[in-house]
Amino acid sequence: MSFRTTTAIDYVEDVSPGSGALPPRAWYASSDAKSLSLNGSWRLRVSPTADAEDDSFAEPGFDAGDWAEVAVPGHWVLQGDGAFGLPAYTNHLYPFPVDPPHVPTENPTGDHIRVFNLPQDWPDLSDGGAVIRFDGVESCARLWLNGTDLGEFKGSRLPHEFAVGHLLKPSGNVLAVRVHQWSAGSYLEDQDQWWLPGIFRDVTLLHRPAGSVLDFFVHAAYDHVTGDGTLRVDSDVDGRVSVPALDIDIATGEPATVPVEAWTAETPKLYDGELVTEGERVPLRIGFRTVVLEDGLIKVNGVPLLFKGVNRHEWHPEKGRTLDLETMREDVLLMKRHNLNAVRTSHYPPHPAFLDLCDEYGLWVIDECDLETHGFTEQAWRDNPVDDDRWTPALIDRAARMVERDKNHPSVVIWSLGNEAGTGRGLTAMAEWIHGRDASRLVHYEGDWDCRDTDMYSRMYASHAEVEQIGKELDGGTHKRRELPFILCEYAHAMGNGPGGLSDYQRLFETYDRLQGAFVWEWIDHGITHPELGFAYGGDFDEELHDGNFVCDGLVFPDRRPSPGLVEYKKVIEPVRIEGDGADGTVRVTNKHDFADLSALAFEWSYQVDGETVEAGTLSVPALAPGESADVKLPQPPSRTPAGAETQWTVRALLAADTAWGPKGHEVAWGQIPVLARPLASVAATDGPVSGNGVITLGPASFDARTGALKTIGDVEVSGLRLDVWRATTDNDEGADWQTDVRFSTLWRKYGLHRMRHRLDSVEVGDDALTVRTRVAPAAWEFGLAAVYRWTSDGSRLRLTVSVGPEGEWTVPLPRLGVRFGLSRADAVKWFGGGPGEGYPDTKEASRVGRWESTVDGLQTPYVRPQENGSRADVRWAEIGGLRVEGDPEFYFSARRWTTEQLDAATHLTDLTPGDTVWVNLDHGLHGIGTGSCGPGVLPQYHLRAEPAEFSFVFTEIN
């Protein structure tokens, strides 16, 4: 017979949610009751195991003077320069043996101590009680106040309160908290993020006067037929509710129906109110709205929604998941200014203040429970906690703590059970509990494809083709599923350069009513500020197990600078469509809002000649209701337009006045209407090549007589001009298409496209042209490209015509097709074409045709892992390094201070060292970007196939 010894740390591996905590309740930011923030400097001791130290540190009088000081809220592995351990990143693999509920003996444990005095104006200790509130601790904590054990808890991103009024004293209070990195709760928190232990959200002492508010539920429904709102506030403690602007003064539990303005994400009307009990006054911010599942659609206030959303992990490059209010506000403002209307709080409830901001500024929220067991996929979901009854109390506790905390936010329209946790009885129990507690919202869970427990059909990364089938209701599935709306809770994986194909998805969402939108994965790159690497990602801390830069997959960089992907998304989802062909002198304006008319917007027109604005003015557009369109007459174009000029209209929709989220003049939407196309550049071949002294001269240019290589154009030195087919692979190139399992980077490298050899076949000096014939092919394979360079000149300009023909059997698309060359002196860049940012075949909706200026360095996009970037699309001409280059047809232009090969080899931006040569790419075509890093690859129409092509460039020396 054997016996297991019971120890004082058994709670770490207990599947229960903990003990000692008070029941969950509604969160509110303030009241007239006293509170004391316990954030600040705490003493910390980190031990290698859960039981390395006894609990004597919790006793009053314990001397922790030689312990380190750390900031709370904070993660101890992000403080102390590694003295307390290091971060680790995994996507879904557990970084410890999977043996639930057990965790390793090697379990970093942080003992925290905070000594505090009560403020002098703190009420008499006999007046009611007090609670200590922890808003977030990873992953398991046990706490003591003045030597008394209060209990322990799990649920890292959920609030926990403990009654402490009977233990407080005026001064010298000792709060001791033991935090374990690993616990049974860790099995429920495998959420594609850095593992970061610590007390990372606020710690607050709250006075609870006699008769103070406990829990309350604000019910504020809206009848879209009558325009009336009905308010009822249910409260555990009797009191009164007042809303002065609505002349409401009622008892708790009593309803009142009055005319109101509804709350929506587009028109976030909030009414200030107050809940008053015998002992406390709590401010309320009330938004009236009704969420229903009706006619197979998610409707708010009678209107079907179209989510234009994003998944948001909480992140700061120096503080991890510890965010202050201004950082949260910055997120919300960036979202609003880029036309997003929805957030899924992946994969846990956010800091509660974030939801206050969503209420205030207007964002639809899918609030997601702190639950993911993704690592169990490695064992076919065997022993998955969500299908094990022993874990169900913990699952319901997590659901309850989310719902009770966040139930009074009008922005929250959907509860999500969690993410990538398989299926099972525990999820059903959570769904039943939520439906029973809050019938005013819908329930989501992506893993429930049969929609047994959910109110919508949700998927991740379904291809465009499958999404269209779902939109047509041809996707099959259970009868219940076929009658439900569809959302993509994750799509368009924003990792590195991309995501591609956004506009193709959006066309589907706007075509089929059943498709109610999608949420890009995700908001921010989770790079960690690093003194040597710039931003660190998985593996940079010598983790035993990691998933590399898969943690950097956001629409904003770690420092919250918008990426080109966010700019593209803003354009794709803009709430006003502006289109036309310029033929009849009108522009069609369509209101794509769900609720708001266009009265908040002002419209401006401008007329461009060869990319330069020559006239501009205001445009009168009616205040169209949602879904309405109008054909608006444009003014007469300028009468004196130079012959042969390219002309176009640009119409912009701007904020007509300052709003809470954007200043007057902020651009919401834009459209361009072409009028006259540009004539293609032509050069009469009036100057012939001349050979002598090993050099061939042709117009302003000189060539090596033996190789035909271009050496100079006037006084500009040019090196290495030749056909180029390689690009530094993007994260999406490196990914495997979910539908086909094709990984283009692997195929390209297998077939040697990164190491093409150039064979010179002939240099032909003709009467009016220099012709250089080559073959470009990879070692070890029989296929290749025949490339012919034909040079002509009119004496002052030089024209290059490149003819390319595939030879042999090509089974893969090309990464790029164009020419590359080096310039020894180049910095300033000007171009006429798409800009101001980068654009690729499936990511150039936001590329606006005009004249732009930059520097070579300014052309680069600083993706955390270096990769192909910075190409400008639809370029007519570009000027760099003393040369002007005109294209026939339009081309993609990029320039950088390192070679493609150097860019391809770099793992961090700090690996890139500028050289003396600027390498310029003039591309006839580029392979699309797609979203293959997680999801569908490049759509067929954006593949760059190896097929016959001909393109030309005209070079002119400029001062």
Side-chain angles (χ1 to χ4, degrees), residues 662-934:
K664 177 182 179 180
H666 166 78
E667 183 179 272
V668 173
W670 60 272
Q672 291 190 305
I673 301 99
V675 181
L676 298 174
R678 72 180 180 108
L680 297 176
S682 61
V683 174
T686 57
D687 206 45
V690 178
S691 300
N693 298 321
V695 173
I696 299 171
T697 58
L698 175 60
S702 67
F703 301 81
D704 184 291
R706 183 180 64 84
T707 63
L710 178 65
K711 297 174 64 176
T712 62
I713 300 175
D715 292 329
V716 178
E717 296 180 2
V718 181
S719 61
L721 188 147
R722 63 185 189 180
L723 192 75
D724 190 19
V725 301
W726 183 243
R727 74 182 184 198
T729 52
T730 68
D731 289 318
N732 286 305
D733 294 336
E734 297 283 345
D737 186 319
W738 278 30
Q739 309 301 312
T740 65
D741 203 34
V742 170
R743 195 181 300 268
F744 280 117
S745 69
T746 300
L747 290 176
W748 290 340
R749 294 182 196 277
K750 171 185 175 181
Y751 291 120
L753 302 191
H754 62 308
R755 49 174 175 79
M756 300 291 274
R757 306 291 178 84
H758 295 252
R759 186 185 75 205
L760 176 62
D761 288 337
S762 66
V763 177
E764 303 169 6
V765 180
D767 291 339
D768 61 355
L770 169 64
T771 303
V772 181
R773 301 183 185 277
T774 70
R775 186 173 191 270
V776 184
W781 299 95
E782 62 180 359
F783 58 84
L785 300 170
V788 179
Y789 308 89
R790 188 172 188 271
W791 299 92
T792 58
S793 177
D794 62 3
S796 60
R797 296 181 296 166
L798 181 70
R799 182 183 183 93
L800 166 64
T801 299
V802 182
S803 301
V804 180
E807 296 179 343
E809 184 179 357
W810 281 82
T811 59
V812 292
L814 296 168
R816 70 178 345 125
L817 182 66
V819 296
R820 179 175 77 170
F821 58 89
L823 297 175
S824 58
R825 296 185 301 276
D827 186 29
V829 183
K830 297 181 181 179
W831 73 98
F832 173 26
E838 69 184 26
Y840 290 80
D842 55 348
T843 67
K844 63 176 184 175
E845 291 294 311
S847 186
R848 189 179 328 204
V849 174
R851 290 203 190 190
W852 309 102
E853 297 185 10
S854 181
T855 61
V856 170
D857 293 341
L859 293 176
Q860 314 311 307
T861 303
Y863 295 114
V864 175
R865 184 191 74 81
Q867 56 197 274
E868 165 62 36
N869 73 91
S871 188
R872 268 53 180 182
D874 302 318
V875 174
R876 283 75 164 151
W877 56 255
E879 294 180 354
I880 182 173
L883 290 181
R884 179 185 175 100
V885 185
E886 299 174 76
D888 176 10
E890 295 153 2
F891 59 98
Y892 292 89
F893 168 81
S894 58
R896 51 182 66 99
R897 299 188 187 278
W898 33 78
T899 65
T900 297
E901 292 73 19
Q902 290 168 328
L903 181 61
D904 198 26
T907 61
H908 294 82
L909 290 171
T910 50
D911 295 335
L912 294 170
T913 302
D916 295 330
T917 301
V918 169
W919 293 97
V920 178
N921 277 91
L922 311 176
D923 291 311
H924 175 63
L926 291 168
H927 188 63
I929 297 298
T931 183
S933 56
C934 187

Side-chain angles (χ1 to χ4, degrees), residues 339-382:
N339 293 331
L340 279 77
N341 72 359
V343 178
R344 175 179 174 228
T345 68
S346 54
H347 297 295
Y348 43 82
H351 190 291
F354 179 78
L355 297 178
D356 285 343
L357 296 169
C358 294
D359 294 342
E360 178 181 353
Y361 292 103
L363 288 168
W364 307 115
V365 174
I366 297 180
D367 198 357
E368 191 148 274
C369 193
D370 191 9
L371 172 63
E372 181 168 337
T373 63
H374 199 172
F376 284 90
T377 57
E378 298 302 310
Q379 52 196 60
W381 297 106
R382 186 175 60 257

Side-chain angles (χ1 to χ4, degrees), residues 415-702:
W415 301 116
S416 179
L417 303 180
N419 184 68
E420 291 177 316
T423 57
R425 292 163 288 175
L427 288 166
T428 298
M430 293 171 70
E432 290 175 349
W433 187 93
I434 293 174
H435 276 122
R437 175 59 172 145
D438 180 18
S440 68
R441 293 178 175 92
L442 306 181
V443 172
H444 164 273
Y445 177 64
E446 181 272 338
D448 183 11
W449 285 19
D450 289 336
C451 302
R452 179 181 63 181
D453 301 320
T454 57
D455 299 311
M456 63 207 69
Y457 178 30
S458 176
R459 290 282 301 282
M460 295 180 182
Y461 308 108
S463 69
H464 298 76
E466 185 180 4
V467 169
E468 183 161 30
Q469 290 297 99
I470 295 169
K472 293 178 177 178
E473 301 182 8
L474 300 175
D475 56 304
T478 62
H479 177 74
K480 180 183 179 184
R481 189 179 91 181
R482 294 197 305 273
E483 293 184 334
L484 293 179
F486 176 80
I487 64 169
L488 275 169
C489 67
E490 293 181 22
Y491 87 128
H493 195 249
M495 186 175 179
N497 188 333
L502 284 171
S503 60
D504 305 274
Y505 273 118
Q506 196 65 25
R507 279 190 287 273
L508 297 174
F509 302 151
E510 295 180 5
T511 299
Y512 302 102
D513 291 341
R514 185 190 184 193
L515 308 179
Q516 293 202 251
F519 295 76
V520 167
W521 184 266
E522 64 162 308
W523 176 242
I524 188 169
D525 287 342
H526 298 199
I528 294 177
T529 301
H530 191 282
E532 299 171 3
L533 302 175
F535 292 115
Y537 49 76
D540 288 333
F541 299 101
D542 297 323
E543 299 103 306
E544 177 183 63
L545 194 68
H546 67 85
D547 286 288
N549 70 310
F550 202 69
V551 76
C552 294
D553 47 13
L555 291 172
V556 297
F557 297 119
D559 58 6
R560 284 179 162 73
R561 284 179 296 163
S563 77
L566 181 57
V567 177
E568 177 79 354
Y569 196 32
K570 175 186 178 181
K571 174 61 180 170
V572 166
I573 61 175
E574 60 189 8
V576 182
R577 179 171 296 157
I578 300 167
E579 55 193 349
D581 60 12
D584 60 358
T586 64
V587 60
R588 169 153 285 210
V589 178
T590 303
N591 183 0
K592 305 297 292 184
H593 288 100
D594 291 328
F595 296 92
D597 64 21
L598 299 187
S599 59
L601 300 178
F603 289 79
E604 294 182 354
W605 64 266
S606 59
Y607 190 77
Q608 287 84 41
V609 175
D610 286 336
E612 289 192 307
T613 296
V614 295
E615 287 190 17
T618 59
L619 189 66
S620 179
V621 175
L624 300 170
E628 287 188 343
S629 298
D631 292 320
V632 180
K633 187 71 174 176
L634 291 164
Q636 287 295 317
S639 58
R640 291 193 298 273
T641 298
E646 177 179 357
T647 60
Q648 67 183 11
W649 298 97
T650 299
V651 176
R652 305 164 65 221
L654 315 172
L655 288 181
D658 290 345
T659 70
W661 54 266
K664 177 182 179 180
H666 166 78
E667 183 179 272
V668 173
W670 60 272
Q672 291 190 305
I673 301 99
V675 181
L676 298 174
R678 72 180 180 108
L680 297 176
S682 61
V683 174
T686 57
D687 206 45
V690 178
S691 300
N693 298 321
V695 173
I696 299 171
T697 58
L698 175 60
S702 67

Side-chain angles (χ1 to χ4, degrees), residues 35 85 87-89 133 161 278 305 336 471 496 518 550 651 653 769 858 896 924:
S35 66
Y89 165 64
R133 181 184 184 92
E161 292 182 336
E278 178 187 355
L305 297 184
K336 294 290 291 186
F550 202 69
V651 176
R896 51 182 66 99
H924 175 63

Side-chain angles (χ1 to χ4, degrees), residues 101-294:
H102 304 300
V103 294
T105 299
E106 296 82 10
N107 187 358
T109 295
D111 291 332
H112 299 71
I113 292 179
R114 174 77 152 87
V115 179
F116 64 94
N117 301 328
L118 295 180
Q120 289 188 349
D121 61 351
W122 192 267
D124 187 278
L125 294 177
S126 63
D127 179 15
V131 300
I132 280 184
R133 181 184 184 92
F134 293 84
D135 281 309
V137 182
E138 183 175 331
S139 72
C140 172
R142 183 181 179 188
L143 62 149
W144 298 259
L145 181 64
N146 294 330
T148 297
D149 187 349
L150 298 176
E152 75 284 340
F153 62 91
K154 307 178 188 76
S156 296
R157 285 153 281 276
L158 295 162
H160 294 84
E161 292 182 336
F162 294 83
V164 297
H166 59 297
L167 300 175
L168 287 173
K169 52 187 181 179
S171 63
N173 293 284
V174 179
L175 177 60
V177 186
R178 173 162 284 172
V179 180
H180 307 283
Q181 173 155 20
W182 310 122
S183 69
S186 301
Y187 284 100
L188 305 180
E189 297 172 3
D190 187 24
Q191 294 145 322
D192 185 9
Q193 59 186 331
W194 293 96
W195 298 92
L196 300 173
I199 305 171
F200 67 93
R201 285 186 185 160
D202 304 297
V203 183
T204 312
L205 178 67
L206 301 167
H207 180 232
R208 311 311 299 138
S212 61
V213 171
L214 294 178
D215 190 26
F216 63 96
F217 198 161
V218 176
H219 302 275
Y222 178 74
D223 185 329
H224 66 277
V225 177
T226 65
D228 287 341
T230 299
L231 175 67
R232 187 185 82 248
V233 178
D234 295 333
S235 175
D236 287 356
V237 175
D238 290 342
R240 296 196 68 80
V241 176
S242 62
V243 186
L246 298 175
D247 291 328
I248 290 177
D249 186 352
I250 54 177
T252 53
E254 179 182 316
T257 300
V258 294
V260 297
E261 295 179 46
W263 188 98
T264 75
E266 296 168 7
T267 57
K269 174 65 177 180
L270 292 173
Y271 290 92
D272 290 327
E274 193 173 49
L275 168 61
V276 181
T277 65
E278 178 187 355
E280 190 174 12
R281 309 176 77 91
V282 176
L284 305 177
R285 303 206 75 191
I286 302 166
F288 291 87
R289 56 108 189 94
T290 297
V291 185
V292 296
L293 179 63
E294 183 179 82

